[in-house]
Amino acid sequence: MTETHPDQPDRPDRPRDDERVAERAELLPEEREAGSDAPEDQAAAILEESDERTDDPEGTRRDSSQTPGG
């Protein structure tokens, strides 16, 4: 069973933020090659943006300069 963060009661399918960040902070091969001074900070930012897109796909599509149809 996935443990959720107490501040995320509406997100029972998402593991705790610190666990997600730690997992994402393990750099992919191309990220490792490019290097990262702060992989955990980078991971937190990536996950935050991903959560925003998941929670509000229409809103983030409108705001994105990279998403067609916006």
Side-chain angles (χ1 to χ4, degrees):
M1 180 174 203
T2 301
E3 183 179 350
T4 59
H5 191 280
D7 295 335
Q8 297 175 328
D10 60 327
R11 300 176 180 175
D13 58 330
R14 291 189 184 158
R16 295 175 53 104
D17 285 341
D18 54 346
E19 293 170 1
R20 293 175 68 215
V21 169
E23 184 176 316
R24 180 58 184 91
E26 294 178 21
L27 299 177
L28 300 173
E30 57 271 20
E31 293 170 331
R32 197 173 7 258
E33 186 175 313
S36 176
D37 293 332
E40 288 191 1
D41 291 340
Q42 178 181 333
I46 290 168
L47 291 170
E48 182 178 339
E49 290 177 12
S50 176
D51 289 347
E52 288 175 15
R53 288 191 305 274
T54 300
D55 293 342
D56 184 18
E58 292 301 318
T60 54
R61 184 174 292 124
R62 278 192 306 275
D63 296 340
S64 175
S65 62
Q66 298 179 1
T67 305

